[in-house]
Amino acid sequence: MSDPAKSAEKNGLSLNSESWRLSVAPMMDWTDRHCRYFHRLLSPHARLYTEMVTSAALVRGKQLRLLEHSQQEHPVALQLGGSDPQELAEAARYGAQAGYDEINLNVGCPSDRVQSGRFGACLMREPELVGDCVKAMRDAVSVPVTVKCRIGVDDQDEYADLQHFTETMLAAGVEILVVHARKAWLQGLSPKENREIPPLDYERVYRLKREFPQLLVIINGGITTAEAVQEHLTHVDGVMLGRAAYHDPYVLARVEAALYGLPLPAREDVLQHMRPYIEAELARGTSLKHISRHLLGLYQGEPGARGFRRTLSEGAHQSGAGWSLIEQAITPMRVAA
């Protein structure tokens, strides 16, 4: 097994769980660079993650545009998908050179197209291969290399299987493991169903932390409130929010208030802070709809929220849509407040 102190020194990683105390999950089609910029305004402390980028897209496809991000997003991690150690090592190098603070390997996604590429959750059946991938990536970069997994896959659902997987990751030098507290069914359930139907088993993740205290364990899955975040942090090192942070992004501000004592920002102030970014992106030729879709949930649960969403949804697709549309959406919210 690797020496944690030496590997921490080699990878520039201080085993300070504070850096991973709060994070926002990588979510396909959601956590693009526009979404991450918005989330950063709501949460100064959260570690943000990209959508999963395949190693093949970077290495063979040379789609380095997928690495674009802004300096305001940091700390931000690049999530990679793949199963070829050398290809992943090269992709990790691209990510580190682009300035990402962490490279995360996806061993949790259950979608069919991911399985056909031999990566994602199906790799939980091949922990030694995952270990080889991690070793190659760690040798290639100086930033932390982490792994995001499930608690099990299909009928490989005993705690002993997760235990063996974790031991293999530790031997490969992994010091931070993000665990989605549901197992994945690779046959018979859609990716959406895999996020909802397999039951959550938080206790299994807590047990993992108790049995591997040298490992930073980050829990993910079904966490929706600041109170739940605080409760999980009594058992593990960090909490990763997923769909809640997207559909009700203001929850990030609530968590910041609970964990760090920051005052809750006014929602309109958050939008006003988005204005320079939006106008700069519009000037680059970005369509407003690519940014505004991430803002739809900001007023979730507030009077007038439906009208806010409708105004943005219907207007952002129009030619020439710009900041004035967002002002139009905000105006009724001022009256409601």
PDB file of all heavy atoms in Angstrom, residues 12-28:
ATOM      1  N   GLY A  12       0.740  17.050  -4.231  1.00  0.00           N
ATOM      2  CA  GLY A  12       0.407  18.388  -3.775  1.00  0.00           C
ATOM      3  C   GLY A  12      -0.852  18.422  -2.940  1.00  0.00           C
ATOM      4  O   GLY A  12      -1.563  19.411  -2.901  1.00  0.00           O
ATOM      5  N   LEU A  13      -1.178  17.308  -2.293  1.00  0.00           N
ATOM      6  CA  LEU A  13      -2.444  17.189  -1.579  1.00  0.00           C
ATOM      7  C   LEU A  13      -2.222  17.206  -0.079  1.00  0.00           C
ATOM      8  O   LEU A  13      -1.536  16.368   0.473  1.00  0.00           O
ATOM      9  CB  LEU A  13      -3.127  15.881  -1.983  1.00  0.00           C
ATOM     10  CG  LEU A  13      -4.378  15.484  -1.205  1.00  0.00           C
ATOM     11  CD1 LEU A  13      -5.445  16.561  -1.353  1.00  0.00           C
ATOM     12  CD2 LEU A  13      -4.891  14.152  -1.683  1.00  0.00           C
ATOM     13  N   SER A  14      -2.800  18.163   0.569  1.00  0.00           N
ATOM     14  CA  SER A  14      -2.846  18.162   2.022  1.00  0.00           C
ATOM     15  C   SER A  14      -4.102  17.417   2.430  1.00  0.00           C
ATOM     16  O   SER A  14      -5.182  17.685   1.926  1.00  0.00           O
ATOM     17  CB  SER A  14      -2.891  19.605   2.548  1.00  0.00           C
ATOM     18  OG  SER A  14      -3.291  19.620   3.887  1.00  0.00           O
ATOM     19  N   LEU A  15      -3.949  16.444   3.314  1.00  0.00           N
ATOM     20  CA  LEU A  15      -5.118  15.665   3.719  1.00  0.00           C
ATOM     21  C   LEU A  15      -5.983  16.477   4.674  1.00  0.00           C
ATOM     22  O   LEU A  15      -6.219  16.112   5.808  1.00  0.00           O
ATOM     23  CB  LEU A  15      -4.667  14.351   4.356  1.00  0.00           C
ATOM     24  CG  LEU A  15      -4.101  13.328   3.389  1.00  0.00           C
ATOM     25  CD1 LEU A  15      -3.718  12.063   4.123  1.00  0.00           C
ATOM     26  CD2 LEU A  15      -5.098  13.006   2.296  1.00  0.00           C
ATOM     27  N   ASN A  16      -6.442  17.608   4.187  1.00  0.00           N
ATOM     28  CA  ASN A  16      -7.308  18.498   4.943  1.00  0.00           C
ATOM     29  C   ASN A  16      -8.689  18.387   4.333  1.00  0.00           C
ATOM     30  O   ASN A  16      -8.933  18.850   3.221  1.00  0.00           O
ATOM     31  CB  ASN A  16      -6.777  19.933   4.855  1.00  0.00           C
ATOM     32  CG  ASN A  16      -7.724  20.929   5.499  1.00  0.00           C
ATOM     33  OD1 ASN A  16      -8.685  20.543   6.155  1.00  0.00           O
ATOM     34  ND2 ASN A  16      -7.458  22.205   5.307  1.00  0.00           N
ATOM     35  N   SER A  17      -9.594  17.753   5.054  1.00  0.00           N
ATOM     36  CA  SER A  17     -10.911  17.485   4.492  1.00  0.00           C
ATOM     37  C   SER A  17     -11.693  18.759   4.186  1.00  0.00           C
ATOM     38  O   SER A  17     -12.679  18.712   3.452  1.00  0.00           O
ATOM     39  CB  SER A  17     -11.720  16.606   5.443  1.00  0.00           C
ATOM     40  OG  SER A  17     -11.912  17.255   6.684  1.00  0.00           O
ATOM     41  N   GLU A  18     -11.251  19.893   4.721  1.00  0.00           N
ATOM     42  CA  GLU A  18     -11.966  21.151   4.492  1.00  0.00           C
ATOM     43  C   GLU A  18     -12.125  21.437   3.000  1.00  0.00           C
ATOM     44  O   GLU A  18     -13.147  21.971   2.560  1.00  0.00           O
ATOM     45  CB  GLU A  18     -11.231  22.303   5.176  1.00  0.00           C
ATOM     46  CG  GLU A  18     -11.964  23.634   5.136  1.00  0.00           C
ATOM     47  CD  GLU A  18     -13.279  23.606   5.903  1.00  0.00           C
ATOM     48  OE1 GLU A  18     -13.373  22.882   6.915  1.00  0.00           O
ATOM     49  OE2 GLU A  18     -14.213  24.311   5.486  1.00  0.00           O
ATOM     50  N   SER A  19     -11.114  21.077   2.217  1.00  0.00           N
ATOM     51  CA  SER A  19     -11.158  21.353   0.783  1.00  0.00           C
ATOM     52  C   SER A  19     -12.238  20.561   0.065  1.00  0.00           C
ATOM     53  O   SER A  19     -12.642  20.913  -1.041  1.00  0.00           O
ATOM     54  CB  SER A  19      -9.798  21.036   0.144  1.00  0.00           C
ATOM     55  OG  SER A  19      -8.792  21.872   0.674  1.00  0.00           O
ATOM     56  N   TRP A  20     -12.672  19.457   0.675  1.00  0.00           N
ATOM     57  CA  TRP A  20     -13.693  18.612   0.066  1.00  0.00           C
ATOM     58  C   TRP A  20     -14.956  18.560   0.917  1.00  0.00           C
ATOM     59  O   TRP A  20     -15.789  17.683   0.747  1.00  0.00           O
ATOM     60  CB  TRP A  20     -13.145  17.193  -0.152  1.00  0.00           C
ATOM     61  CG  TRP A  20     -12.299  17.092  -1.382  1.00  0.00           C
ATOM     62  CD1 TRP A  20     -12.701  16.694  -2.625  1.00  0.00           C
ATOM     63  CD2 TRP A  20     -10.903  17.388  -1.497  1.00  0.00           C
ATOM     64  NE1 TRP A  20     -11.642  16.732  -3.498  1.00  0.00           N
ATOM     65  CE2 TRP A  20     -10.523  17.152  -2.830  1.00  0.00           C
ATOM     66  CE3 TRP A  20      -9.929  17.827  -0.597  1.00  0.00           C
ATOM     67  CZ2 TRP A  20      -9.229  17.339  -3.284  1.00  0.00           C
ATOM     68  CZ3 TRP A  20      -8.631  18.021  -1.058  1.00  0.00           C
ATOM     69  CH2 TRP A  20      -8.295  17.784  -2.378  1.00  0.00           C
ATOM     70  N   ARG A  21     -15.114  19.491   1.816  1.00  0.00           N
ATOM     71  CA  ARG A  21     -16.248  19.463   2.743  1.00  0.00           C
ATOM     72  C   ARG A  21     -17.581  19.616   2.009  1.00  0.00           C
ATOM     73  O   ARG A  21     -18.588  19.006   2.383  1.00  0.00           O
ATOM     74  CB  ARG A  21     -16.076  20.588   3.766  1.00  0.00           C
ATOM     75  CG  ARG A  21     -16.975  20.488   4.987  1.00  0.00           C
ATOM     76  CD  ARG A  21     -16.659  21.633   5.934  1.00  0.00           C
ATOM     77  NE  ARG A  21     -17.447  21.564   7.152  1.00  0.00           N
ATOM     78  CZ  ARG A  21     -17.637  22.586   7.967  1.00  0.00           C
ATOM     79  NH1 ARG A  21     -17.084  23.768   7.691  1.00  0.00           N
ATOM     80  NH2 ARG A  21     -18.363  22.452   9.060  1.00  0.00           N
ATOM     81  N   LEU A  22     -17.582  20.420   0.972  1.00  0.00           N
ATOM     82  CA  LEU A  22     -18.794  20.672   0.197  1.00  0.00           C
ATOM     83  C   LEU A  22     -18.436  20.680  -1.276  1.00  0.00           C
ATOM     84  O   LEU A  22     -17.450  21.314  -1.674  1.00  0.00           O
ATOM     85  CB  LEU A  22     -19.404  22.019   0.593  1.00  0.00           C
ATOM     86  CG  LEU A  22     -20.601  22.503  -0.243  1.00  0.00           C
ATOM     87  CD1 LEU A  22     -21.793  21.557  -0.078  1.00  0.00           C
ATOM     88  CD2 LEU A  22     -20.986  23.931   0.149  1.00  0.00           C
ATOM     89  N   SER A  23     -19.214  19.975  -2.076  1.00  0.00           N
ATOM     90  CA  SER A  23     -18.963  19.980  -3.520  1.00  0.00           C
ATOM     91  C   SER A  23     -20.269  19.794  -4.272  1.00  0.00           C
ATOM     92  O   SER A  23     -21.298  19.414  -3.709  1.00  0.00           O
ATOM     93  CB  SER A  23     -17.963  18.878  -3.903  1.00  0.00           C
ATOM     94  OG  SER A  23     -18.412  17.615  -3.446  1.00  0.00           O
ATOM     95  N   VAL A  24     -20.214  20.110  -5.568  1.00  0.00           N
ATOM     96  CA  VAL A  24     -21.369  19.938  -6.454  1.00  0.00           C
ATOM     97  C   VAL A  24     -21.009  18.865  -7.473  1.00  0.00           C
ATOM     98  O   VAL A  24     -19.971  18.946  -8.131  1.00  0.00           O
ATOM     99  CB  VAL A  24     -21.744  21.253  -7.164  1.00  0.00           C
ATOM    100  CG1 VAL A  24     -22.920  21.023  -8.121  1.00  0.00           C
ATOM    101  CG2 VAL A  24     -22.102  22.331  -6.149  1.00  0.00           C
ATOM    102  N   ALA A  25     -21.861  17.874  -7.597  1.00  0.00           N
ATOM    103  CA  ALA A  25     -21.559  16.693  -8.398  1.00  0.00           C
ATOM    104  C   ALA A  25     -21.389  17.005  -9.881  1.00  0.00           C
ATOM    105  O   ALA A  25     -22.027  17.920 -10.409  1.00  0.00           O
ATOM    106  CB  ALA A  25     -22.682  15.669  -8.226  1.00  0.00           C
ATOM    107  N   PRO A  26     -20.561  16.218 -10.541  1.00  0.00           N
ATOM    108  CA  PRO A  26     -20.522  16.277 -12.008  1.00  0.00           C
ATOM    109  C   PRO A  26     -21.822  15.704 -12.560  1.00  0.00           C
ATOM    110  O   PRO A  26     -22.223  14.602 -12.190  1.00  0.00           O
ATOM    111  CB  PRO A  26     -19.316  15.380 -12.364  1.00  0.00           C
ATOM    112  CG  PRO A  26     -19.161  14.457 -11.197  1.00  0.00           C
ATOM    113  CD  PRO A  26     -19.643  15.207  -9.991  1.00  0.00           C
ATOM    114  N   MET A  27     -22.509  16.450 -13.428  1.00  0.00           N
ATOM    115  CA  MET A  27     -23.791  15.995 -13.961  1.00  0.00           C
ATOM    116  C   MET A  27     -23.842  16.262 -15.461  1.00  0.00           C
ATOM    117  O   MET A  27     -23.727  17.416 -15.892  1.00  0.00           O
ATOM    118  CB  MET A  27     -24.949  16.701 -13.234  1.00  0.00           C
ATOM    119  CG  MET A  27     -25.086  16.294 -11.774  1.00  0.00           C
ATOM    120  SD  MET A  27     -26.396  17.165 -10.879  1.00  0.00           S
ATOM    121  CE  MET A  27     -25.579  18.744 -10.524  1.00  0.00           C
ATOM    122  N   MET A  28     -23.995  15.184 -16.217  1.00  0.00           N
ATOM    123  CA  MET A  28     -24.004  15.296 -17.671  1.00  0.00           C
ATOM    124  C   MET A  28     -25.123  16.227 -18.142  1.00  0.00           C
ATOM    125  O   MET A  28     -26.260  16.151 -17.657  1.00  0.00           O
ATOM    126  CB  MET A  28     -24.189  13.914 -18.304  1.00  0.00           C
ATOM    127  CG  MET A  28     -22.972  13.003 -18.158  1.00  0.00           C
ATOM    128  SD  MET A  28     -21.513  13.640 -19.024  1.00  0.00           S
ATOM    129  CE  MET A  28     -22.026  13.474 -20.729  1.00  0.00           C
TER     130      MET A  28
END
